[in-house]
Amino acid sequence: MRVKVAAIQMAVGEDETDNIAKALRQVTSAADAGAQIILLQELFSTPYFCKDQNPDFLTLAQPRESHPALLAMQKLAREREVVLPVSFFERANNAFFNSLVVFDADGSDLGLYRKAHIPDGPGYQEKFYFSPGDTGFRVFDSRYGRLGIAICWDQWFPEAARVMALQGAEILFYPTAIGSEPQAPEINSRGHWTRVMQGHAAANLVPVVAANRVGREIGQESEITFYGGSFISDATGALIVHAEQEETILYADLDLQALAAQRLEWGLFRDRRPELYAPILTLDGSPRHE
């Protein structure tokens, strides 16, 4: 089966309603171009509020059942027959998560993923807002293929990519919000960020789609210039298409049947030795403490 994927790269403003409307226009444009799976960036309906520790921002979280971004995108997925992974700030009773729901091409809800790895540093103070995800890494069976989807900081961890590949992911998707480092403006991590995910593709022989935001966002304590760099790689990690810092939509056509044959030929999963990997289950690399 052949599938056309898209990654949307855009800037967001202060008004949530306007941001959702803009995202709807971008998804519609991608659908008009023939895209069947369309990836938006992380937390696209609001500015990236994690620049600051401000409890007022917790009011941005809403339950899965009533979040306006989810309701709008579910409707559009059904109308345009596209698959949409949708990132949102989730409130679940007294818990808060950085979450994502996948809508299939008929608008059905394929399930929830909660971000597993939560960063904490200047400008990216996510531990103040989000509990660590409790869903485990998930793969979603959609009309257009089996999708592995994780969120931003998850993309730095090869373990997450491997688990999704082992679960049968045919494409890996990473919605993202990353840019400058407020405490170290001389650092530009974009190349590093890209190469890490290219490695996930190459190590698992699975294409990767990454969607980042762009624009300068000013907080109370710091500001971030999001560097874009969204891309789609092939299953060897080579970039098919990539963006700079402009608002844009990226596209790629993927042959899932040919990619599946390629994975079988290489034997990457046949030759794994999971009985030797126990140290990876520990924080310090020791299989046990003596």
Side-chain angles (χ1 to χ4, degrees):
M1 179 174 71
R2 300 191 68 89
V3 61
K4 186 170 185 175
V5 298
I8 292 171
Q9 177 169 290
M10 71 181 201
V12 302
E14 295 294 326
D15 186 88
E16 183 172 36
T17 300
D18 290 345
N19 292 329
I20 293 172
K22 182 177 183 178
L24 289 169
R25 292 193 298 271
Q26 296 290 83
V27 171
T28 298
S29 179
D32 288 343
Q36 297 159 296
I37 309 171
I38 303 168
L39 182 67
L40 287 154
Q41 63 218 34
E42 180 187 23
L43 299 173
F44 64 88
S45 66
T46 66
Y48 182 73
F49 50 86
C50 306
K51 298 182 293 298
D52 309 302
Q53 291 190 16
N54 183 342
D56 291 343
F57 290 143
L58 291 170
T59 62
L60 295 172
Q62 298 188 54
R64 174 184 181 184
E65 296 76 17
S66 58
H67 197 288
L70 296 183
L71 296 175
M73 290 298 165
Q74 183 174 28
K75 181 174 182 289
L76 188 59
R78 181 173 58 251
E79 291 173 350
R80 298 307 306 269
E81 297 190 43
V82 294
V83 174
L84 297 178
V86 184
S87 169
F88 72 108
F89 186 12
E90 180 192 9
R91 178 166 188 165
N93 296 321
N94 289 313
F96 297 82
F97 299 97
N98 187 335
S99 300
L100 180 145
V101 166
V102 182
F103 296 116
D104 207 354
D106 61 358
S108 59
D109 184 330
L110 295 180
L112 175 76
Y113 169 68
R114 291 170 170 164
K115 186 175 180 178
H117 302 95
I118 309 298
D120 186 37
Y124 302 90
Q125 301 181 68
E126 295 196 13
K127 281 186 168 67
F128 182 80
Y129 297 98
F130 310 128
S131 292
D134 56 2
T135 60
F137 304 113
R138 298 199 58 192
V139 170
F140 301 88
D141 282 310
S142 79
R143 181 184 298 182
Y144 304 123
R146 193 164 170 81
L147 317 180
I149 308 171
I151 302 172
C152 200
W153 192 229
D154 290 332
Q155 65 208 175
W156 293 87
F157 296 86
E159 300 90 342
R162 179 67 94 192
V163 168
M164 291 185 287
L166 289 173
Q167 292 175 340
E170 296 176 289
I171 312 170
L172 297 178
F173 293 84
Y174 294 103
T176 302
I178 187 171
S180 59
E181 300 292 333
Q183 85 288 4
E186 72 280 4
I187 293 176
N188 183 346
S189 63
R190 196 179 86 175
H192 185 188
W193 171 80
T194 306
R195 288 188 293 273
V196 165
M197 286 181 282
Q198 288 178 273
H200 299 336
N204 295 290
L205 279 171
V206 176
V208 165
V209 181
N212 192 19
R213 68 171 66 196
V214 292
R216 180 182 178 213
E217 298 187 19
I218 300 174
Q220 298 163 331
E221 301 173 12
S222 62
E223 65 180 64
I224 297 175
T225 299
F226 293 95
Y227 51 56
S230 302
F231 70 88
I232 303 171
S233 83
D234 70 13
T236 71
L239 296 183
I240 299 171
V241 60
H242 71 279
E244 295 298 330
Q245 289 186 284
E246 73 280 10
E247 293 189 295
T248 189
I249 306 175
L250 305 178
Y251 301 97
D253 291 299
L254 304 173
D255 186 333
L256 299 185
Q257 186 174 359
L259 290 167
Q262 186 181 26
R263 283 190 293 276
L264 290 176
E265 290 167 6
W266 275 94
L268 290 176
F269 298 97
R270 177 198 64 200
D271 296 339
R272 293 183 68 253
R273 295 289 307 281
E275 71 274 16
L276 303 180
Y277 303 156
I280 207 169
L281 299 177
T282 69
L283 289 175
D284 65 359
S286 301
R288 63 184 180 276
H289 292 281
E290 299 178 355

